[in-house]
């Protein structure tokens, strides 16, 4: 009986803690203004976690019973308070970062964590504060009031039964609800469950053996895809300027941006540049962007650990290039300064170098306007040179000079984009974020205006991309976190071009090096460790690449191969616009899992290595040769089989008629079934406005046919319109191939 009483004491805070967890979920749901179905998923996730959490609480709190009886309830109240604060912290982190916190918490140094917390300047949402206050109030009131002995004893008996159910439930119940949709909302997952599960998964994941001592070594096969598009001076190698723009995502930048474009200057620049619409960052945070962009390097602890390798900077320094790096932040974060110094950079400009009137705006450093001014003010070094510029302002806490004026510009931009007043609330609730996008875009405009016409900048190739898509704005799919634009601009460009073929950060450095080796005879290594195979400049949608995508420093659970995407072990198809859809193809899924496991095993082995390629192989260098140059990886990327739609364009004619066209083609070796091309017109919210269909047809293997469909909508709403071309069954209308969806209509 005494044991029952002791058990009752240990678990006395638990009802209040369970209530606090539910209240915090309600607050998160309310803050996100999510549908009721998401709330049901959140509460179900809480219910699945509770049986396991009770057992953990009992184990953690049991030592309290060895304290004097008069302080036991105080100790339990303090322990419960810390638990609720931790739960609330996980919820607030998610509301700010847009992703749940996992074991990546332990991948940062104390100084980096301090900078992150101080730089975020997070204001807790009031629903979260109310939920936390109510949970703490119930906790303390329930523990501090005097309770008769019979109640404590009865509670102990009841709790013993509950513990038995929890033990049984922990073994029988699933860890989480089965995903009903391929792109399940991270909001619906339990933050505590994710954190614990992610930490434990890092300790239990089994991988195959790495493929050799140097698993990433292979022959250099990158073709020169950029050289033919530029009118290069045959005697003077060009300067290179690479802009890594913090948080720049494709969903709010560029033509047809899902949320409307808030980068008017970059849009204009893209119109006179090479512009990749379907481009992938290789990481979901900044930690790997410099090794990926500058070195096509497999994910590893560069700058923190000595791993011998080649990259764009070190190879060009050996060819006489001078190297510069500009940022508004601290060079020590993510070991970026150490990585760059090890690559040969000697000219640095970082937060310690700014002087008045430049003003530090947050713990992160100086705003992008001051950064661009610093780049222009420093004299261009002797040619040729590489300049790397890394921005900061599109990052929490989204503070910068003249923020009030840019808040007003957000409203003006919404008006110009034609976003209906009824749909503006999500934008206005995140006005400072959208204002920061406009601010950085304007800083880039001023930079290019300042250098326009100056002779020292004419023989220059500019590369602009995002390090990742900022997560604070809600995403339509998981891959949107990696979907960033790529702009290659130069006075040397022969003609602008919009490119739909997919490439990634991994492809930038190999392509630039192939171009310089081909056009200027620069000797380059013949055995390399590039993760990329080069920038694909094909105008129509395709993906010849295979690559891993790393969400955080510790979460590597995404893999792309051709037109398939393995997202946290869920197989998806990948189409133009990086639209994803669930795929039921066990053979492809299993093959991709095995391939991805091999990549992860090789990456795990990298942390135990001191070099990526044998030293003798690194020193074997030669000039460019056309033999064996290909964009295809060693193992051919997987392509979807069946009828696939590509190259869709939609246009409204002056008389109000909608014209849409696209190419229907057969991939694979099988003749297509009879199908009907179907056109669907929708608004920005996905509401169907009208549809039209063409003639039934069938296609032979490898055959393709362009189809044009027209319709005359009765009335069109204000705001963006989108068309989809679907491969439909002639009788049921259901999709029987891979259509192309949500393509913006030009007016």
């Amino acid at each position: 009986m005494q044991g029952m009483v002791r058990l009752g004491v240990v678990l006395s805070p638990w009802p209040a803690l369970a209530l606090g967890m539910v209240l915090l979920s309600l607050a998160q749901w309310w803050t996100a203004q999510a549908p009721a179905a998401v709330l049901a998923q959140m509460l179900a996730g809480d219910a699945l976690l509770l049986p396991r959490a009770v057992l953990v609480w009992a184990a953690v709190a049991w030592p309290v019973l060895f304290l004097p009886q008069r302080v036991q309830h105080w100790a339990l109240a303090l322990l419960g308070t810390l638990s609720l604060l931790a739960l609330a912290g996980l919820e607030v982190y998610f509301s700010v970062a847009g992703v749940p916190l996992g074991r990546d918490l332990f991948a940062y140094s104390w100084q980096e964590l301090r900078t992150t917390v101080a730089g975020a300047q997070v204001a807790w949402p009031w629903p979260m504060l109310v939920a936390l206050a109510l949970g703490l109030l119930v906790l303390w009131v329930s523990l501090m009031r005097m309770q008769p002995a019979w109640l404590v004893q009865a509670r102990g008996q009841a709790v013993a039964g509950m513990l038995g159910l929890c033990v049984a439930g922990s073994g029988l119940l699933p860890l989480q609800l089965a995903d009903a949709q391929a792109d399940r909302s991270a909001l619906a997952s339990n933050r505590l469950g994710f954190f614990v599960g992610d930490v434990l998964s890092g300790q239990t994941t089994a991988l195959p053996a790495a493929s050799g001592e140097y698993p990433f070594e292979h022959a250099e096969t990158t073709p020169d895809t950029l050289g033919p598009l530029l009118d290069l001076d045959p005697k003077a190698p060009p300067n290179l300027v690479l802009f890594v723009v913090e948080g720049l995502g494709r969903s709010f930048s560029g033509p047809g941006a899902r949320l409307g474009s808030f980068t008017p200057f970059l849009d204009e620049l893209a119109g006179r540049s090479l512009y990749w619409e379907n481009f992938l960052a290789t990481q979901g945070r900044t930690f790997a962007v410099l090794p990926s962009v500058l070195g096509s390097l497999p994910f590893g602890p560069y700058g923190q650990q000595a791993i011998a390798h080649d990259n764009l900077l070190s190879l060009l320094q050996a060819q006489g290039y001078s190297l510069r790096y500009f940022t508004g932040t601290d060079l020590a974060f993510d070991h970026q300064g150490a990585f760059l110094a090890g690559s040969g950079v000697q000219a640095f400009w970082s937060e310690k170098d700014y002087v008045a009137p430049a003003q530090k705006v947050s713990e992160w450093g100086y705003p992008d306007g001051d950064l661009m001014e610093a780049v222009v003010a420093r004299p261009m070094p002797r040619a040729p040179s590489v300049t790397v510029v890394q921005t900061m302002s599109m990052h929490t806490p989204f503070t910068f000079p003249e923020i009030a004026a840019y808040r007003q510009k957000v409203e003006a931009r919404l008006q110009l984009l034609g976003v209906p007043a009824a749909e503006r609330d999500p934008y206005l609730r995140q006005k400072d974020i959208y204002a920061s996008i406009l601010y950085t875009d304007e800083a880039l405009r001023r930079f290019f205006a300042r250098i326009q016409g100056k002779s020292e900048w004419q023989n220059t190739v500019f590369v602009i991309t995002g390090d990742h898509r900022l997560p604070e704005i809600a995403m339509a799919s998981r891959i949107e976190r990696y979907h960033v634009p790529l702009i290659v601009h130069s006075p040397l460009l022969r003609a602008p071009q919009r490119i739909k073929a997919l490439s990634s950060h991994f492809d930038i450095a190999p392509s630039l090096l192939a171009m310089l080796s081909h056009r200027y005879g620069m000797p380059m290594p013949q055995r390399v460790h590039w993760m990329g195979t080069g920038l694909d400049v094909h105008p129509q949608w395709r993906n010849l690449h295979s690559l891993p995508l790393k969400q955080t420093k510790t979460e590597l659970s995404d893999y792309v191969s051709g037109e398939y995407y393995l997202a946290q072990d869920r197989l998806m198809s990948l189409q133009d616009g990086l639209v994803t859809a669930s795929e039921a193809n066990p053979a492809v899924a299993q093959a991709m899992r095995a391939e991805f496991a091999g990549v992860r095993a090789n990456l795990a082995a990298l942390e135990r290595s001191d070099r990526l390629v044998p030293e003798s192989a690194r020193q074997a260098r030669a000039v460019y040769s056309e033999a064996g140059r290909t964009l295809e990886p060693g193992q051919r990327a997987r392509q979807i089989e069946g009828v696939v739609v590509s190259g869709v364009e939609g246009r409204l004619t002056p008389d109000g008629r909608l014209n849409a066209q696209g190419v229907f083609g057969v991939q694979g070796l099988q003749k297509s079934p009879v199908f009907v091309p179907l056109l669907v017109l929708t608004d920005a919210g996905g509401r169907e406005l009208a549809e039209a269909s063409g003639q039934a047809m069938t296609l032979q293997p490898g055959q393709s046919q362009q189809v044009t469909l027209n319709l005359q909508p009765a009335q069109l709403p204000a705001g963006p319109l989108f068309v989809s071309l679907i491969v439909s069954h002639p009788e049921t209308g259901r999709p029987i191939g891979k259509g192309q969806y949500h393509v913006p209509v030009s007016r």
Side-chain angles (χ1 to χ4, degrees):
M1 190 61 67
Q2 183 64 24
M4 292 296 182
V5 173
R6 292 165 68 85
L7 192 58
V9 171
V10 169
L11 295 182
S12 56
W14 187 248
L17 294 177
L19 175 64
M21 178 184 293
V22 172
L23 289 174
L24 288 169
S25 291
L26 286 169
Q28 185 71 265
W29 170 75
W30 182 272
T31 301
Q33 296 189 351
V38 173
L39 175 61
Q41 289 180 294
M42 294 173 72
L43 296 178
D46 291 346
L48 291 174
L49 180 67
L50 284 174
R52 298 170 175 88
V54 169
L55 299 177
V56 174
W57 171 266
V60 171
W62 192 263
V64 170
L65 295 177
F66 296 96
L67 297 174
Q69 190 171 2
R70 65 180 180 277
V71 300
Q72 287 179 1
H73 285 85
W74 287 96
L76 288 169
L78 290 173
L79 187 58
T81 299
L82 291 175
S83 299
L84 282 178
L85 286 172
L87 286 172
L90 290 173
E91 295 291 350
V92 172
Y93 177 89
F94 177 81
S95 68
V96 172
V99 293
L101 182 64
R103 68 182 187 275
D104 52 307
L105 171 67
F106 307 112
Y108 292 89
S109 68
W110 171 250
Q111 178 60 32
E112 289 173 329
L113 289 174
R114 192 194 70 79
T115 300
T116 302
V117 172
Q121 299 178 7
V122 176
W124 283 40
W126 69 263
M128 209 74 69
L129 290 174
V130 171
L132 179 60
L134 286 175
L136 291 174
L137 178 64
V138 172
L139 173 69
W140 281 86
V141 168
S142 65
L143 288 176
M144 293 300 107
R145 66 179 182 174
M146 297 298 295
Q147 298 175 350
W150 66 266
L151 178 59
V152 175
Q153 179 177 325
R155 185 173 58 204
Q157 293 173 335
V159 166
M162 185 179 70
L163 269 180
L165 292 175
C166 289
V167 171
S170 297
L172 298 175
L173 293 174
L175 291 173
Q176 60 184 15
L177 293 175
D179 295 328
Q181 298 177 343
D183 292 320
R184 66 178 177 89
S185 170
L187 179 62
S189 64
N190 184 280
R191 253 63 67 191
L192 177 60
F194 178 90
F195 179 81
V196 174
D198 195 48
V199 171
L200 293 178
S201 69
Q203 309 300 320
T204 59
T205 301
L207 294 172
S211 53
E213 184 178 1
Y214 302 103
F216 295 101
E217 179 195 6
H218 59 85
E220 167 63 292
T221 60
T222 308
D224 177 17
T225 57
L226 290 178
L229 306 179
L230 297 166
D231 188 14
L232 296 168
D233 185 330
K235 296 183 179 180
N239 302 309
L240 303 177
V241 179
L242 294 92
F243 287 94
V244 178
V245 182
E246 172 67 38
L248 182 64
R250 182 68 179 86
S251 60
F252 48 78
S253 176
R258 180 177 66 83
L259 299 168
S261 180
F262 287 79
T263 57
F265 169 69
L266 288 181
D267 297 354
E268 181 269 325
L269 187 69
R272 47 192 177 93
S273 306
L274 303 177
Y275 183 73
W276 279 258
E277 298 184 15
N278 299 304
F279 194 76
L280 287 173
T282 48
Q283 60 286 311
R285 289 182 180 159
T286 310
F287 64 92
V289 67
L290 294 183
S292 295
V293 169
L294 300 176
S296 192
L297 286 163
F299 303 118
Y302 308 105
Q304 182 180 5
Q305 178 180 327
I307 303 177
H309 66 274
D310 294 309
N311 62 47
L312 177 74
L313 300 179
S314 62
L315 290 170
L316 291 188
Q317 184 190 47
Q319 297 299 319
Y321 272 74
S322 56
L323 311 176
R324 304 189 299 168
Y325 174 76
F326 291 82
T327 186
T329 63
D330 182 6
L331 290 173
F333 200 89
D334 281 333
H335 309 283
Q336 293 186 136
F339 168 74
L340 292 164
S343 302
V345 178
Q346 294 180 328
F348 287 95
W349 185 271
S350 64
E351 67 172 357
K352 65 181 179 59
D353 298 302
Y354 289 83
V355 296
Q359 186 174 359
K360 191 174 181 178
V361 292
S362 74
E363 190 69 20
W364 288 108
Y366 288 81
D368 293 347
D370 291 341
L371 170 63
M372 298 302 164
E373 181 65 30
V375 179
V376 174
R378 308 280 80 71
M380 176 72 91
R382 60 176 177 80
S385 66
V386 180
T387 301
V388 181
V389 183
Q390 191 165 7
T391 75
M392 179 276 293
S393 294
M394 287 166 55
H395 191 289
T396 54
F398 304 104
T399 57
F400 48 89
E402 303 179 57
I403 189 171
Y406 281 93
R407 287 169 179 156
Q408 294 180 354
K409 291 182 179 182
V410 171
E411 299 196 22
R413 187 66 182 171
L414 291 171
Q415 184 70 26
L416 185 64
L417 291 172
V419 177
E423 299 176 10
R424 294 185 184 181
D425 185 60
Y427 297 92
L428 299 179
R429 283 191 287 112
Q430 296 185 308
K431 185 181 291 187
D432 286 1
I433 299 178
Y434 286 100
S436 74
I437 301 169
L438 290 169
Y439 168 77
T440 295
D441 183 71
E442 181 61 26
L444 287 165
R445 180 195 299 277
R446 291 174 181 171
F447 169 82
F448 279 94
R450 290 277 301 275
I451 67 170
Q452 187 174 11
K454 292 187 176 181
S455 59
E456 64 268 30
W457 292 91
Q458 293 308 296
N459 188 32
T460 303
V461 175
F462 299 90
V463 179
I464 305 171
T465 190
D467 61 347
H468 57 81
R469 191 265 207 198
L470 60 84
E472 287 80 3
I473 298 174
M475 290 173 278
S477 65
R478 181 174 176 83
I479 204 168
E480 195 171 300
R481 180 68 178 266
Y482 308 101
H483 193 182
V484 298
L486 174 68
I487 298 172
V488 174
H489 174 74
S490 177
L492 309 173
L493 188 65
R494 296 181 185 275
Q497 185 174 335
R498 285 176 61 174
I499 297 165
K500 288 183 175 291
L502 185 144
S503 294
S504 78
H505 281 168
F506 286 142
D507 299 307
I508 293 174
S511 275
L512 292 173
L513 290 169
M515 177 186 75
L516 295 174
S517 181
H518 184 201
R519 303 292 159 166
Y520 299 98
M522 296 182 184
M524 292 294 164
Q526 298 304 289
R527 303 295 298 178
V528 295
H529 47 70
W530 311 145
M531 292 292 286
T533 59
L535 293 169
D536 191 348
V537 297
H538 192 66
Q540 298 302 320
W541 161 254
R542 70 179 185 182
N543 178 26
L544 304 179
H545 303 293
S546 297
L547 67 151
L549 304 173
K550 196 169 188 181
Q551 178 82 254
T552 68
K553 282 187 175 183
T554 57
E555 185 189 350
L556 179 61
S557 55
D558 297 291
Y559 184 70
V560 169
S561 179
E563 294 177 317
Y564 286 101
Y565 169 43
L566 196 63
Q568 291 185 311
D569 205 45
R570 298 186 303 276
L571 184 65
M572 322 279 283
S573 62
L574 196 61
Q575 302 174 54
D576 188 15
L578 299 193
V579 175
T580 57
S582 181
E583 282 289 318
N585 192 326
V588 171
Q590 187 59 33
M592 286 192 65
R593 288 183 185 119
E595 189 175 324
F596 188 26
V599 172
R600 296 202 310 273
N602 293 339
L603 289 170
L606 174 60
E607 298 190 13
R608 303 186 297 271
S609 175
D610 64 348
R611 64 188 66 249
L612 289 173
V613 175
E615 190 61 30
S616 58
R618 288 182 63 204
Q619 300 306 319
R621 302 187 177 185
V623 297
Y624 184 94
S625 170
E626 290 287 358
R629 300 280 175 163
T630 176
L631 290 173
E632 289 277 8
Q635 181 175 349
R636 184 175 177 83
R638 295 173 177 81
Q639 305 301 313
I640 294 172
E641 296 190 355
V643 183
V644 178
V645 183
S646 62
V648 173
E649 296 179 352
R651 184 174 62 88
L652 277 176
T653 61
D655 61 358
R657 185 168 50 89
L658 177 73
N659 174 277
Q661 62 181 24
V663 176
F664 288 71
V666 176
Q667 296 182 172
L669 303 176
Q670 301 296 320
K671 175 183 176 181
S672 79
V674 177
F675 66 91
V676 172
L678 176 65
L679 165 65
V680 178
L681 176 67
T682 58
D683 62 15
R687 181 170 60 94
E688 183 174 329
L689 303 174
E691 66 176 47
S693 58
Q695 297 294 320
M697 65 175 65
T698 184
L699 297 173
Q700 299 297 321
Q703 183 183 2
S704 62
Q705 182 170 330
Q706 181 166 306
V707 174
T708 300
L709 297 175
N710 299 282
L711 56 83
Q712 186 87 31
Q715 186 176 3
L716 294 175
L721 298 174
F722 300 86
V723 293
S724 300
L725 278 185
I726 302 169
V727 186
S728 68
H729 191 282
E731 296 178 1
T732 66
R734 293 181 178 177
I736 55 174
K738 290 299 173 188
Q740 190 172 342
Y741 299 88
H742 207 65
V743 177
V745 174
S746 60
R747 297 177 182 265

